[in-house]
């Protein structure tokens, strides 16, 4: 038998009834009366649609639960794949010794550092000629002109470096000259006479160390700065020593 829902009370009744048997005896004004307050309207709506609200709420909470499970599952880090047991490794191949540089050129007094690579526990350093070049912990010191072989040994292995030692180039020294090479001091001449050392061929003064001397201090004397003072009469020589050069000036006193 089919049924239908009453639009007033919401109850279902058989279709054989023309009117709802549950509310047909009510007064028309009471059937159409609506709650006076909003709260009453809400309560009336909830009463009439309780089954729908229940189903909708259950569906909502079910969706939230399913969504939470999905998010939790996605947020979990992927488990690391099981790593296979490492295969047994063979003993590493021993690296041979190597030295750098294999040749070096030094001047007397210079030093150089040698580097050895490879597998070793300790090194022993030797020089084929200690008079030419010595070595200590890989640091080579040039001593005299010649050639020496520096060797680093570790057990039965050894590597070497050929060291050539040269004389340092000669130092270029300027050629010097005096501002006077011959002069006479007469009675009444102003003294002292100032002697100076200059670079030969120029007016540039020499600023290095100069040692002044008078061969006969009884005739004239000379100070450390080259000032010549007369003492007596006669002839003598003033010398100036600088840059392994000896410069002379003849001085006469009348």
């Amino acid at each position: 038998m089919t049924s239908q829902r009453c639009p007033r009370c919401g109850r279902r009744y058989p279709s054989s009834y023309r009117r709802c048997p549950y509310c047909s005896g009510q007064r028309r004004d009471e059937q159409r009366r609506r709650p006076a307050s909003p709260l009453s309207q809400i309560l009336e709506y909830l009463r009439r649609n309780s089954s729908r609200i229940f189903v909708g709420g259950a569906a909502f909470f079910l969706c939230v639960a399913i969504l939470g499970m999905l998010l939790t599952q996605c947020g979990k880090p992927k488990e690391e794949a099981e790593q296979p047991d490492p295969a047994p490794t063979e003993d590493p191949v021993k690296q041979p010794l190597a030295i750098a540089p294999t040749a070096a050129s030094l001047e007397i007094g210079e030093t150089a550092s040698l580097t050895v690579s490879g597998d070793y526990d300790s090194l022993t350093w030797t020089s084929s000629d200690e008079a030419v070049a010595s070595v200590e912990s890989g640091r080579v010191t040039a001593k005299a002109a010649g050639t020496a072989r520096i060797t680093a040994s570790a057990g039965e292995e050894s590597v070497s470096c050929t060291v050539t030692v040269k004389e340092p180039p000669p130092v270029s020294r300027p050629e010097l000259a005096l501002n006077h090479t011959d002069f006479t001091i007469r009675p009444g001449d102003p003294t002292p006479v100032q002697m100076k050392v200059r670079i030969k061929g120029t007016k540039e003064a020499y600023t290095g160390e100069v040692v002044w001397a008078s061969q006969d201090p009884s005739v004239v004397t000379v100070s450390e700065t080259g000032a010549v003072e007369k003492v007596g009469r006669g002839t003598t020589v003033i010398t100036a020593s600088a840059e392994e050069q000896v410069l002379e000036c003849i001085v006469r006193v009348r």
Side-chain angles (χ1 to χ4, degrees):
M1 179 180 294
T2 59
S3 63
Q4 59 182 347
R5 184 183 299 277
C6 177
R8 292 188 178 89
C9 65
R11 298 183 180 182
R12 303 189 70 84
Y13 61 92
S15 301
S16 58
Y17 289 89
R18 296 182 59 188
R19 296 182 180 179
C20 176
Y22 301 104
C23 61
S24 58
Q26 296 179 359
R27 295 172 55 184
R28 186 176 299 276
D29 57 346
E30 293 178 352
Q31 294 176 4
R32 296 180 178 179
R33 185 178 58 188
R34 301 179 62 186
S37 64
L39 179 59
S40 300
Q41 295 179 17
I42 295 174
L43 294 176
E44 181 66 18
Y45 176 81
L46 293 176
R47 183 182 66 80
R48 292 182 179 182
N49 299 276
S50 57
S51 59
R52 295 180 180 179
I53 294 174
F54 175 78
V55 174
F60 173 78
F61 284 110
L62 181 61
C63 292
V64 171
I66 294 174
L67 181 61
M69 293 175 60
L70 292 176
L71 293 177
T72 303
Q73 189 67 24
C74 293
K76 289 183 178 180
K78 295 182 179 180
E79 296 183 358
E80 297 182 357
E82 294 184 359
Q83 297 294 333
D85 294 335
T89 58
E90 299 179 356
D91 294 335
V93 179
K94 186 177 181 181
Q95 297 297 323
L97 296 183
I99 192 170
T102 57
S105 179
L106 302 174
E107 293 181 0
I108 295 176
E110 290 184 337
T111 61
S113 295
L114 303 181
T115 303
V116 175
S117 60
D119 295 331
Y120 60 86
D121 294 329
S122 61
L123 291 174
T124 301
W125 293 90
T126 57
S127 172
S128 62
D129 193 341
E130 291 283 347
V132 174
S134 62
V135 61
E136 183 177 357
S137 300
R139 189 171 185 81
V140 181
T141 302
K143 293 184 175 180
T147 302
R149 181 177 291 275
I150 306 300
T151 303
S153 303
E156 298 180 355
E157 285 188 277
S158 64
V159 287
S160 60
C161 169
T162 302
V163 177
T164 302
V165 181
K166 301 179 181 179
E167 292 280 355
V171 179
S172 178
R173 301 181 183 277
E175 190 174 357
L176 305 178
L178 293 173
N179 60 335
H180 297 293
T181 57
D182 189 336
F183 66 91
T184 300
I185 301 177
R186 295 180 175 82
D189 288 347
T191 56
V193 178
Q194 183 62 53
M195 299 286 294
K196 295 181 181 179
V197 178
R198 294 177 178 171
I199 307 298
K200 189 174 183 179
T202 69
K203 295 183 179 181
E204 182 181 353
Y206 174 70
T207 57
E209 183 180 0
V210 180
V211 177
W212 296 92
S214 171
Q215 293 184 359
D216 189 351
S218 64
V219 178
V220 294
T221 59
V222 61
S223 68
E224 294 181 354
T225 59
V228 179
E229 290 274 6
K230 65 179 180 178
V231 178
R233 294 183 179 182
T235 302
T236 188
V237 176
I238 299 295
T239 60
S241 301
E243 297 289 346
E244 298 182 358
Q245 303 175 47
V246 179
L247 309 175
E248 297 182 347
C249 174
I250 301 174
V251 179
R252 299 178 180 85
V253 180
R254 301 293 185 229

